[in-house]
Amino acid sequence: MRVRDLLAPGAPGLRLLAAEEELDRQVSGVMTTDLQDPGRYLHGGELVLTGMLWRTVPADSERFVRTLAAGGAVALAAGQAEVGPVPEDLVEACRRHRMPLLVVPDDVAFGTVTEFVGRQLSADRAADLAALVDRHRLLVSAAGGGGLDAVLDLLGGDLDLDCWVLTPTGAVIAGPADRLCAQDRDQLVRTHLAAQRQRRRPPHRARLADGSYSLLPAPAPVPDSEPTPAPAAGEPDAPPADCPPADWVLVVAGDVTEWTTKRQQLAENLARLVAAERHRRDEGRRLRRRLADEVLALLRRDADPAEISRSLYASSAMAARYEGPGRKSQAQDDSWLVISAEGTGLPEGAVRAVLEEALGGTDDRALIAGTGTGAVVVLPALDGPVPADTLRELLAPLEAGLGADDRITLGVSAPASGAGGLRGALEEARHARRIAASRSGRVCVAGPEELASHVLLLAAVPDEVRRAFRGRLLDKVIAYDTEHQADLVRTLEAFLRSDGSWTRCAAQLHVHVNTLRYRIGRIEELTGRDLSRLEDRVDFYLALELA
């Protein structure tokens, strides 16, 4: 470190009195003394701390400073707690010998100064540690499993450097979680996401009550490619990742832009290590993603509940195997929740990646299927329903990373009993999401308690009952359409949307009223129902909703 680092922001708060032109001297250590002649204890490069007890007459200042200069000391820091303000004769002596003179305020202990210098000098070991971190990056990417915590512990022990890896919702991936409260984590990830959205070059900087922090992104990997390393502090601007709301963030205590080159290299290598670990975890999610997509496909084609149960059990058994023998696999008749999510203004896959980071740490049995710009989540309802407020609070930090026209809307179902109720839970979640989409805000969530319509009733109906009801009313109409291209189903939908008005329905379909009457008559003949009766209209409406 240099003498001027003792005057930088974040330093103990010393004040300079003399020899400003010598502040680039390199400090190699600290010596505390009140000896009149400390020369035999100097080896060169020391910052000398003194309480000035050696001074009895003004001439002592000249002798003391001359001894320091001859011994190779690079600066003198004088404390005022014992003898009062620094005398002018000491200031003049330091000027003559070009010895930087610093004042240590009464409220700053010499131990604090010594500790600060020790932390700064540890940068000399940063080059060796940087190489170690770089080698460890390769090991983590190949073997995985706890690598980040091991490296961060190493940095904390050897360099007194606190680091954390956070998800975009503020969850701790690695690092001493007890040393960064939830409120601070929320502020850090919001600062990071806002900087990403504004396309600012990393590292980003955040200021908390206890000091400054540097934020470096660990981008989500591009499929079938190597992870993209985070840009170094001096590199040119680069476009943000495809899914910045889902990026991990490396948080480093301090402002890395003020560090030495060696220490900056350490931060850059650490960011690359985090990106490699992110890539490893993303690779590990591939099988679960395929299972999630399979479950969603089964729900969409209204598959037999037994078939859905097999996929759910396979997913749960996989999670139990990873957790160890004590973890119970989810039984097929247990309760499940469904979350329907949609992103507006976000790239394809972004919402799925966001939910993987937000919910993956909550329960690793969550199945998260992609739906283009949205996602569908199926997860065990072990502790009852997921309150919409809980989900909203969990995702709230993401607002900082969304643009003015970007949104994430989510709907949560009530618990569904067994695989047979999942189809209804999916519809319930989708309707809840539509309610969320009707509100203002960048992250909006609605739960089943906000549904007060037929949707809630339909969601509770078992799948086999739903299929039978729909089939009895619509199967003959669909078969007739398939054979004759008569467009009866579309006509029925338009007729019900028009509240049974012949003229409005004919206008919507662009057909003559007589044509419309013929089609409705054919539907009544095929089904044995009377569309002039309210109860038959309600049955057809519900059947179409189930379809």
Side-chain angles (χ1 to χ4, degrees):
M1 66 170 290
R2 301 179 186 275
V3 175
R4 68 172 63 256
D5 294 334
L6 293 162
L7 304 171
L14 309 187
R15 183 165 50 88
L16 179 68
L17 291 183
E20 181 180 0
E21 68 278 8
E22 299 295 332
L23 294 181
D24 284 329
R25 291 181 177 184
Q26 293 283 345
V27 179
S28 62
V30 179
M31 184 179 76
T32 301
T33 183
D34 276 304
L35 295 174
Q36 288 186 337
D37 184 6
R40 62 183 178 275
Y41 300 109
L42 293 171
H43 301 286
E46 291 91 348
L47 165 69
V48 176
L49 297 173
T50 181
M52 298 186 294
L53 297 177
W54 44 264
R55 181 185 179 276
T56 56
V57 296
D60 292 340
S61 295
E62 171 64 20
R63 184 168 49 252
F64 185 81
V65 175
R66 185 170 60 246
T67 300
L68 297 186
V74 295
L76 173 64
Q80 305 179 118
E82 293 292 334
V83 301
V86 176
E88 186 60 29
D89 51 86
L90 180 56
V91 177
E92 288 300 322
C94 287
R95 286 173 179 160
R96 283 193 299 272
H97 291 279
R98 303 174 67 86
M99 177 67 63
L101 175 60
L102 307 169
V103 177
V104 182
D106 293 348
D107 60 345
V108 177
F110 280 4
T112 301
V113 179
T114 302
E115 182 182 352
F116 174 80
V117 173
R119 288 200 304 269
Q120 298 298 311
L121 292 178
S122 64
D124 290 339
R125 289 175 285 167
D128 292 338
L129 281 171
L132 176 61
V133 169
D134 198 34
R135 290 195 298 272
H136 201 91
R137 173 178 65 85
L138 301 177
L139 293 175
V140 168
S141 62
L148 287 180
D149 275 313
V151 173
L152 298 190
D153 287 345
L154 172 69
L155 296 178
D158 281 15
L159 285 181
D160 193 23
L161 181 61
D162 286 336
C163 302
W164 298 263
V165 178
L166 306 179
T167 71
T169 56
V172 179
I173 297 292
D178 58 334
R179 298 174 64 177
L180 200 61
C181 70
Q183 183 178 355
D184 287 345
R185 296 198 305 268
D186 182 88
Q187 183 175 340
L188 289 170
V189 296
R190 286 177 183 270
T191 300
H192 165 70
L193 289 169
Q196 287 281 82
R197 178 172 54 82
Q198 296 163 9
R199 296 175 176 263
R200 283 158 43 197
R201 183 183 65 192
H204 314 308
R205 287 176 289 280
R207 185 79 184 178
L208 300 180
D210 62 343
S212 60
Y213 291 80
S214 298
L215 312 172
L216 296 95
V222 178
D224 302 320
S225 71
E226 292 297 319
T228 303
E235 291 180 356
D237 288 308
D242 287 340
C243 302
D247 284 352
W248 285 359
V249 54
L250 169 63
V251 178
V252 182
D255 187 346
V256 302
T257 62
E258 297 179 353
W259 290 0
T260 63
T261 302
K262 291 180 180 179
R263 204 171 175 89
Q264 285 188 9
Q265 180 188 2
L266 175 65
E268 293 162 13
N269 282 341
L270 184 57
R272 293 186 179 96
L273 184 152
V274 174
E277 175 70 358
R278 174 66 190 276
H279 180 71
R280 185 192 68 81
R281 292 200 183 186
D282 199 72
E283 286 292 306
R285 286 172 170 156
R286 286 194 174 190
L287 180 55
R288 290 191 60 76
R289 284 178 171 178
R290 286 200 294 269
L291 285 171
D293 291 339
E294 177 183 332
V295 169
L296 180 58
L298 291 173
L299 291 175
R300 281 175 166 170
R301 66 179 175 86
D302 207 9
D304 187 275
E307 190 176 358
I308 299 173
S309 292
R310 286 192 290 271
S311 293
L312 291 174
Y313 187 81
S315 169
S316 183
M318 180 193 304
R321 184 170 66 252
Y322 290 155
E323 281 291 311
R327 177 71 171 267
K328 169 183 173 291
S329 295
Q330 190 83 355
Q332 66 181 40
D333 57 350
D334 284 343
S335 294
W336 301 84
L337 292 171
V338 177
I339 299 173
S340 176
E342 187 64 33
T344 302
L346 299 178
E348 187 169 324
V351 172
R352 182 184 202 170
V354 163
L355 292 176
E356 284 176 339
E357 296 303 331
L359 300 175
T362 304
D363 195 317
D364 59 7
R365 288 166 292 185
L367 288 172
I368 305 174
T371 60
T373 57
V376 170
V377 184
V378 177
L379 71 162
L382 298 179
D383 301 314
V386 174
D389 289 342
T390 300
L391 190 57
R392 187 183 301 109
E393 182 179 350
L394 178 67
L395 300 177
L398 299 174
E399 295 176 350
L402 300 176
D405 298 324
D406 299 343
R407 302 187 72 202
I408 298 177
T409 54
L410 305 99
V412 186
S413 76
S417 179
L422 275 178
R423 172 72 183 182
L426 175 59
E427 291 185 9
E428 184 177 309
R430 284 173 172 167
H431 281 273
R433 193 202 66 75
R434 293 190 188 103
I435 292 176
S438 67
R439 298 170 177 162
S440 60
R442 295 182 181 176
V443 177
C444 297
V445 187
E449 66 280 357
E450 301 180 63
L451 293 175
S453 71
H454 64 280
V455 176
L456 195 60
L457 296 175
L458 292 180
V461 176
D463 283 356
E464 57 271 19
V465 176
R466 295 151 63 91
R467 281 194 295 270
F469 178 78
R470 185 180 63 229
R472 279 196 290 269
L473 272 89
L474 295 181
D475 277 359
K476 291 182 178 179
V477 180
I478 294 172
Y480 189 89
D481 271 351
T482 302
E483 183 177 355
H484 301 283
Q485 290 80 47
D487 218 11
L488 296 185
V489 172
R490 190 168 73 92
T491 300
L492 177 60
E493 290 174 339
F495 185 73
L496 296 175
R497 282 198 307 268
S498 302
D499 298 323
S501 169
W502 298 99
T503 54
R504 278 193 286 125
C505 181
Q508 286 182 19
L509 294 174
H510 305 289
V511 298
H512 194 274
V513 172
N514 289 341
T515 302
L516 175 60
R517 292 184 183 277
Y518 172 80
R519 292 180 181 178
I520 296 298
R522 176 59 65 185
I523 293 171
E524 292 174 334
E525 290 176 10
L526 291 169
T527 61
R529 298 297 187 105
D530 183 356
L531 278 165
S532 67
R533 299 174 63 221
L534 176 61
E535 53 267 41
D536 285 342
R537 289 186 187 180
V538 170
D539 285 348
F540 276 119
Y541 176 80
L542 294 178
L544 290 169
E545 284 288 291
L546 291 173

